[in-house]
Amino acid sequence: MERTWYPAGRDLGRSCYPGVALALNLLLFFVERFSLAIEPLHIAVLMGPAAALACVGGTYCLARQICGRDEEALLAAFFSSVIPALLSCTECGVLDGVGIGCSCMIFAFYHVARGKGSNRTLSSVFAGFLYFAMAISWEEHTFFLNLFAVYVLFLLFKGLDAADFNFTFQVVYLVGMSSTQLFLRHVPSILTREHAIPHAAFFLLLCRASGILAGRSLPFLSLPFLSAALPLCLFFASGWLEGGEGEGGGGLWRQILPMNASSAYETMTSSVSENQPTTWSSFFFDLHCLLFLAPLGIYRCISEPNERSFLLIFYFFASLFLSALKVRFIVLFAPAACIIGAIGASSLLSKNFLHVKVTCKLLLYFQSSKKVSRKGTEDTTNRDIALLLLLALFFLFIMFLWHCSWVTSVVYAPSTLKFAGRQSDGNRTRFEDMEEGMTWIRDNTDKDARVLSWWDHGHELASLADRVTFLDASGYNLSQVAAVGAIMALPEEEAAARCRNMGVNFVLVRFGGMTSFASDDISKFLWMVRAAGKELKEPEDAFLSAGGVLRVGKEGSRRFRSSLLYRLSFHRFSSQVSEFGRPAGFDRVRGEVAEGGKEPLQHFEEVFTSQHWLLRLYRVKNL
């Protein structure tokens, strides 16, 4: 705790989700209780596949509950078992709460859809506890509760019979809110804007239920009044919650609202690739053929409307909206895409199989009676078209399996500490610079050495190198994030003075110009400038070229070439040949020859550079 976010330290109760640790402790308890010969390391490694199995089972149960047929449920389970969007967070060795939270979210939707008649009390309580499990694992709890609240209000204003869903929502609200408020410090459920819609929905449902129990049709409890009162409730709730804990909202809320897009937290998190807006290629990469089957499934749900199909449609479009904002939210969209795609694929399969079966029977009848008619010829043509459609669908499924296996083995299987790429001669290799650099720092620096780096490298320094860091992968102290961003953008002399004032011993930078690693610190430089904000006197345009882009060559900004990050990244790089047939100093990521790197450093001393230049460590001189 005292070795991260120096000098204040990091409050682990507010910035970490304890769901993974709790799940591991529960499994270890059962292993020791029943004297099973299973090592804790194996349990930790298999946590990801266990979460994947739970996601597959939950998808099958949810699809079976909504559709009422085994065909759609089996297809949905098949899609969810191989889809890359879910495999990315549930592979072996992944100790992440995303997979656990996703499986809890799917089962929570299942219990919501199941809560009818005599089962509603037990299902509602289970859904409430699953909300608590989501809250301690990741950020799905906010998405689930807000979506459920909007769905219940939609049923209420639509005039549908939604007594069971209203009851389930109120139980989930009470159980979930009370459990998270009592047991978790990092989820201030009562005083955050992201819970304004559930607060308003619960209040309106409570008023309506009070009028029903009184047995009177009160004018202020009528549907038109509730329709007019909902925006007012949301307005006053948002204003009252504005000064609440967590700077007016939790993590998910301030990541999706446009009015917070310029905040320091958003600027910091947007420097990571998984927090960028999702492109169509990313959707196809993670979902493949489900993108084409989903419109058929939506049409099928709309053509057969009921409360459960409306719930699925709400879930689909809400998760699609979130996944379009950030790449990492595709995991929320994946279960809905699997179920909707399974409904569309099942409708195609059932109709074409039925058509082929009926056509074959008619052809046998005409052949046995030795009759030739236009109807028999048309049926033969329709049968051939149906067979072609079935063959095309089976080919699409085969391509889907091949794509998922390729993505899993090539993209998601390699360790995050070993990057795949090409050397200067064109041969593919794996760069182990991260492991090499962290081992060197751990073995060759003082135990209390303080290492400064950008925010997404801090957790690696703290966990692998066991050194004191100033930032890590959280938004715990935004002013300190701004200070580090300013140091990276300032000239060397001013940056060195600030480093000495902050007690920095070493500065670590990640450089990808030698290995074509695109997610290096130079690529994130503008995000550092934006996070620095008022810490810098110059605007962002001062670091851009005349064309308005960030250039590292002669056409680049002189102010950018004088920044500390540029000086440390390209130090001695002008004499290095990064690619065969290219001049010395060629940056393989930016595609141009770097201009700097020739002048010696005055206030920093290079102490380590990894084999492929991915990690570079500099010591701050004590002048």
Side-chain angles (χ1 to χ4, degrees), residues 201-277:
F202 180 77
F203 174 75
L204 293 179
L205 289 177
L206 201 61
C207 292
R208 187 172 183 271
S210 301
I212 294 175
L213 290 176
R216 294 183 294 176
S217 178
L218 301 179
F220 63 88
L221 296 177
S222 61
L223 191 60
F225 177 81
L226 294 178
S227 302
L230 178 60
L232 295 176
C233 290
L234 291 177
F235 176 77
F236 286 113
S238 299
W240 174 63
L241 298 172
E242 183 176 4
E245 193 174 352
E247 297 184 2
L252 184 63
W253 182 264
R254 57 188 173 186
Q255 291 179 48
I256 65 176
L257 283 185
M259 65 181 181
N260 291 321
S262 60
S263 64
Y265 182 86
E266 178 68 11
T267 302
M268 180 186 64
T269 57
S270 296
S271 64
V272 184
S273 59
E274 67 175 9
N275 290 320
Q276 299 294 326

Side-chain angles (χ1 to χ4, degrees), residues 275-287:
N275 290 320
Q276 299 294 326
T278 310
T279 60
W280 281 110
S281 58
S282 298
F283 274 116
F284 182 79
F285 186 81
D286 283 327
L287 301 175

Side-chain angles (χ1 to χ4, degrees), residues 6 56 68 73 81 90 92 98 110 166 171 215 259 313 320 382 436 543 559 562 575 607:
Y6 178 86
V56 173
S81 64
T90 56
C92 283
V98 178
Y110 163 70
N166 294 345
V171 173
M259 65 181 181
I313 292 173
L320 176 62
N382 293 336
E436 174 193 355
F543 300 90
R559 178 65 183 85
S562 66
S575 60
V607 294

Side-chain angles (χ1 to χ4, degrees), residues 19-253:
V20 177
L22 181 61
L24 283 175
N25 284 321
L26 287 175
L27 290 176
L28 288 175
F29 171 77
F30 283 111
V31 166
E32 295 175 357
R33 180 69 176 82
F34 295 101
S35 301
L36 300 177
I38 303 177
E39 296 184 4
L41 178 61
H42 296 162
I43 296 177
V45 170
L46 295 177
M47 280 289 294
L53 182 62
C55 288
V56 173
T59 304
Y60 173 84
C61 294
L62 180 58
R64 181 69 175 81
Q65 190 67 37
I66 291 177
C67 304
R69 291 182 291 270
D70 291 330
E71 295 83 358
E72 286 89 344
L74 288 173
L75 277 175
F78 160 69
F79 289 144
S80 64
S81 64
V82 294
I83 187 171
L86 289 178
L87 292 177
S88 62
C89 59
T90 56
E91 58 185 355
C92 283
V94 176
L95 276 177
D96 197 352
V98 178
I100 298 175
C102 187
S103 61
C104 293
M105 181 189 66
I106 298 172
F107 275 107
F109 277 117
Y110 163 70
H111 284 292
V112 168
R114 184 174 176 266
K116 299 283 287 185
S118 60
N119 296 326
R120 69 178 189 176
T121 302
L122 188 60
S123 297
S124 302
V125 173
F126 278 146
F129 284 115
L130 286 170
Y131 172 85
F132 175 74
M134 284 184 274
I136 64 176
S137 299
W138 199 45
E139 298 173 343
E140 296 98 334
H141 67 288
T142 304
F143 168 74
F144 168 75
L145 194 60
N146 280 274
L147 176 61
F148 196 10
V150 173
Y151 170 70
V152 167
L153 292 174
F154 167 78
L155 294 180
L156 177 64
F157 298 148
K158 191 72 175 176
L160 299 175
D161 184 15
D164 294 324
F165 288 103
N166 294 345
F167 175 81
T168 302
F169 171 75
Q170 295 178 67
V171 173
V172 170
Y173 177 88
L174 292 174
V175 175
M177 286 290 179
S178 59
S179 59
T180 54
Q181 192 68 29
L182 290 175
F183 298 105
L184 296 179
R185 292 179 57 205
H186 76 283
V187 187
S189 306
I190 304 298
L191 298 176
T192 54
R193 279 183 175 177
E194 58 189 15
H195 292 93
I197 297 178
H199 292 338
F202 180 77
F203 174 75
L204 293 179
L205 289 177
L206 201 61
C207 292
R208 187 172 183 271
S210 301
I212 294 175
L213 290 176
R216 294 183 294 176
S217 178
L218 301 179
F220 63 88
L221 296 177
S222 61
L223 191 60
F225 177 81
L226 294 178
S227 302
L230 178 60
L232 295 176
C233 290
L234 291 177
F235 176 77
F236 286 113
S238 299
W240 174 63
L241 298 172
E242 183 176 4
E245 193 174 352
E247 297 184 2
L252 184 63
W253 182 264

Side-chain angles (χ1 to χ4, degrees), residues 366-441:
F366 286 124
Q367 290 176 0
S368 62
S369 60
K370 296 182 179 181
K371 295 180 181 179
V372 178
S373 64
R374 171 182 284 181
K375 182 174 178 54
T377 305
E378 292 178 354
D379 289 336
T380 304
T381 304
N382 293 336
R383 182 199 61 180
D384 295 339
I385 294 175
L387 286 174
L388 287 176
L389 288 175
L390 288 175
L391 289 176
L393 196 58
F394 286 134
F395 177 75
L396 187 64
F397 287 165
I398 292 173
M399 293 298 297
F400 175 70
L401 283 174
W402 179 85
H403 173 79
C404 294
S405 61
W406 177 80
V407 170
T408 306
S409 60
V410 175
V411 180
Y412 293 138
S415 170
T416 54
L417 298 179
K418 299 180 181 179
F419 304 99
R422 294 186 181 276
Q423 293 180 331
S424 58
D425 55 2
N427 294 326
R428 290 192 62 85
T429 184
R430 290 194 182 278
F431 303 117
E432 301 181 0
D433 292 48
M434 287 296 298
E435 185 176 355
E436 174 193 355
M438 296 303 161
T439 303
W440 192 95
I441 294 174

Side-chain angles (χ1 to χ4, degrees), residues 293-588:
L293 296 174
L296 296 175
I298 292 294
Y299 174 77
R300 178 79 175 274
C301 292
I302 294 176
S303 61
E304 300 176 1
N306 55 65
E307 290 85 355
R308 292 187 175 93
S309 63
F310 282 139
L311 175 63
L312 181 59
I313 292 173
F314 266 74
Y315 176 27
F316 179 84
F317 283 107
S319 57
L320 176 62
F321 169 73
L322 284 182
S323 62
L325 294 179
K326 293 183 183 296
V327 175
R328 67 193 187 100
F329 288 146
I330 292 184
V331 69
L332 299 177
F333 178 59
C338 290
I339 299 176
I340 292 290
I343 294 174
S346 177
S347 62
L348 284 177
L349 288 172
S350 59
K351 289 182 179 180
N352 286 287
F353 270 123
L354 180 62
H355 187 81
V356 171
K357 184 178 179 180
V358 172
T359 304
C360 291
K361 287 183 177 181
L362 290 175
L363 289 176
L364 289 175
Y365 169 74
F366 286 124
Q367 290 176 0
S368 62
S369 60
K370 296 182 179 181
K371 295 180 181 179
V372 178
S373 64
R374 171 182 284 181
K375 182 174 178 54
T377 305
E378 292 178 354
D379 289 336
T380 304
T381 304
N382 293 336
R383 182 199 61 180
D384 295 339
I385 294 175
L387 286 174
L388 287 176
L389 288 175
L390 288 175
L391 289 176
L393 196 58
F394 286 134
F395 177 75
L396 187 64
F397 287 165
I398 292 173
M399 293 298 297
F400 175 70
L401 283 174
W402 179 85
H403 173 79
C404 294
S405 61
W406 177 80
V407 170
T408 306
S409 60
V410 175
V411 180
Y412 293 138
S415 170
T416 54
L417 298 179
K418 299 180 181 179
F419 304 99
R422 294 186 181 276
Q423 293 180 331
S424 58
D425 55 2
N427 294 326
R428 290 192 62 85
T429 184
R430 290 194 182 278
F431 303 117
E432 301 181 0
D433 292 48
M434 287 296 298
E435 185 176 355
E436 174 193 355
M438 296 303 161
T439 303
W440 192 95
I441 294 174
R442 186 178 63 247
D443 296 339
N444 296 277
T445 60
D446 295 336
K447 191 177 177 80
D448 296 328
R450 296 178 287 274
V451 184
L452 182 139
S453 67
W454 186 231
W455 80 289
D456 51 350
H457 312 325
H459 63 285
E460 299 167 352
L461 284 166
S463 58
L464 300 178
D466 191 23
R467 292 298 178 265
V468 179
T469 62
F470 292 82
L471 304 177
D472 65 0
S474 70
Y476 174 60
N477 189 339
L478 298 180
S479 61
Q480 190 154 319
V481 175
V484 173
I487 288 175
M488 294 295 184
L490 286 173
E492 180 187 355
E493 184 176 358
E494 297 181 34
R498 292 203 181 190
C499 286
R500 296 187 187 100
N501 291 334
M502 293 177 62
V504 178
N505 301 124
F506 297 93
V507 178
L508 179 71
V509 296
R510 182 181 291 182
F511 175 64
M514 182 72 77
T515 58
S516 69
F517 179 70
S519 296
D520 61 353
D521 288 343
I522 292 291
S523 301
K524 303 172 183 178
F525 178 77
L526 291 181
W527 295 109
M528 301 179 190
V529 174
R530 294 163 188 165
K534 297 180 180 180
E535 295 282 337
L536 293 175
K537 299 179 181 179
E538 302 91 347
E540 180 181 336
D541 296 340
F543 300 90
L544 302 179
S545 64
V549 295
L550 195 68
R551 301 288 298 271
V552 298
K554 295 181 180 180
E555 298 180 359
S557 167
R558 185 183 300 272
R559 178 65 183 85
F560 172 52
R561 294 201 303 267
S562 66
S563 64
L564 177 66
L565 181 61
Y566 187 96
R567 296 288 307 275
L568 299 185
S569 298
F570 291 101
H571 178 61
R572 295 193 303 108
F573 185 67
S574 58
S575 60
Q576 301 294 320
V577 178
S578 59
E579 188 174 349
F580 180 76
R582 298 286 189 175
F586 179 77
D587 189 336
R588 297 176 63 186

